[in-house]
């Protein structure tokens, strides 16, 4: 699954960067994320509840930030496993 989009946020670049790197706030950005805990500076573990067409379920997984260029960019890689 690929999730993409764009939003304009009325805040400074540093403020947005700080929010996107806070596990509690980051959990709100990932669709269906129910739980997210930080394992390392760039790695998180969590639970995601998603449904795509007839396939629905709860998945445990890891989220890793890659290509980090503070405060401009990072790529979010998510690996999940479930029923």
């Amino acid at each position: 699954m690929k999730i993409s989009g764009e939003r304009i946020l009325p805040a400074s670049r540093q403020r947005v960067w700080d929010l996107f790197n806070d596990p509690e706030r980051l959990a709100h950005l990932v669709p269906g994320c129910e739980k997210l805990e930080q394992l390392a500076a760039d790695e998180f573990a969590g639970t995601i509840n998603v449904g795509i067409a007839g396939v629905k379920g709860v998945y445990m997984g890891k989220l890793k930030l890659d290509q980090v260029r503070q405060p401009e960019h990072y790529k979010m890689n998510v690996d999940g496993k479930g029923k």
Side-chain angles (χ1 to χ4, degrees):
M1 170 174 38
K2 183 175 183 177
I3 301 170
S4 64
E6 183 177 320
R7 298 275 192 260
I8 304 298
L9 302 174
S12 71
R13 182 177 281 188
Q14 187 61 50
R15 175 76 174 134
V16 172
W17 182 264
D18 292 342
L19 291 172
F20 279 30
N21 284 280
D22 175 336
E24 186 175 325
R25 299 283 185 168
L26 186 58
H28 292 289
L29 300 174
V30 178
C33 187
E34 295 179 344
K35 178 182 169 186
L36 191 65
E37 61 184 46
Q38 193 162 12
L39 302 176
D42 63 349
E43 192 171 355
F44 304 84
T47 305
I48 298 174
N49 188 346
V50 295
I52 302 170
V55 180
K56 296 179 183 178
V58 176
Y59 299 87
M60 303 295 288
K62 289 191 177 180
L63 183 150
K64 182 154 177 60
L65 305 180
D66 192 19
Q67 301 174 11
V68 177
R69 293 191 311 266
Q70 184 179 356
E72 298 174 9
H73 166 88
Y74 64 63
K75 181 177 178 181
M76 189 183 302
N77 294 306
V78 180
D79 178 36
K81 294 180 175 40
K83 296 179 183 180

